[in-house]
Amino acid sequence: MNQPTSSDTVPEMQLLRSMLYVPGSRVSAIEKARELPADAVILDLEDAVIPDQKPGARKAVADVLSAGGFGPRAALVRVNAGGTPWHHEDVSMVAVSGAAGVVLPKAEDPSQVEAVAARLDDEMSVWAMIETPRGVLAAERIASTSGVAGLIAGTNDLRLDLQAKVSPDRAALTHALQMIVLAARAAGVAAIDGVFNAPKDAEGLRRECLQGRLFGFDGKTLIHPEQLGIANDVFGPTPDEVSFAARQIEGFTSAQANGQGVAVVDGVIVEELHVRSARQLIVKADLIRDRGW
């Protein structure tokens, strides 16, 4: 069976299965990231860099970005939060760096995002980290702010602020995570799940990625290169999903040719909304195949 190709009506899609944090103070790690199978690289000037090293890390990140070489990977920079001594210079550096955008920690109000977006050119975007109770409650307004490309769940800080216990099912964070996805979807921007803190626990990472995909997240932020394969696998469509999507499109096309508005494929009703979703899934699968990871 020939697989249907994507339609011109399918919106442009960016792969965001895996977004890897790389300490801005570790130039060797950044150089390595240029070759890793990450859909996006977040050069981190915030939590991963101690205060004494922040000016040097900013300079190192600026030099690396000016050299380019990240290929299809989106190169983002997590700046220090507004109100810190480093925030203004961090944003100034990113604005002229050629990065794809800014990851803004502790986003709690649209005005914070607007202030950063106003300093960037039109090709750059803001990724707002939702990692406080105020941020969760303001997520809808933040996601709708001009210049925002996506919301990133900052689960470690959020759990701390909530005084919540750690559990494999992330029960204490479920409501907040779903609020983030709802806000992102309402605004038409991406939603990225928070980090998994145990790089060697492959089973735990897969479980959390599966939960994130179930919730509707587009991908996951990661803290170690060894986590990339699992995130890419879970947040990419399976062969069975691609095959079913192709059958949905073919079945619906055939039904329309016979004057019918719905089809039945594998015992399941297929309408126009399912076909749109199927086309998007096939576009994603094509992008992954072309990228090779």
Side-chain angles (χ1 to χ4, degrees), residues 172-271:
L173 298 180
T174 298
H175 178 69
L177 293 172
Q178 292 177 329
M179 288 276 285
I180 292 169
V181 174
L182 281 168
R185 295 294 172 251
V189 301
I192 307 298
D193 199 359
V195 299
F196 182 73
N197 296 315
K200 300 297 183 181
D201 183 2
E203 181 180 345
L205 173 63
R206 183 171 292 276
R207 179 178 61 245
E208 196 163 288
C209 285
L210 287 168
Q211 182 195 51
R213 187 176 179 192
L214 180 68
F215 284 170
F217 283 102
D218 296 294
K220 193 165 184 66
T221 46
L222 307 168
I223 59 173
H224 196 281
E226 290 185 7
Q227 298 178 317
L228 289 166
I230 290 176
N232 286 341
D233 179 48
V234 172
F235 285 99
T238 67
D240 286 345
E241 288 172 331
V242 174
S243 177
F244 181 57
R247 294 198 303 277
Q248 284 180 307
I249 296 168
E250 288 190 356
F252 187 76
T253 302
S254 178
Q256 281 190 316
N258 292 323
Q260 299 172 346
V262 298
V264 178
V265 177
D266 296 358
V268 178
I269 291 291
V270 177
E271 300 178 293

Side-chain angles (χ1 to χ4, degrees), residues 24 38 156 158 190 236:
N156 285 335
L158 182 57

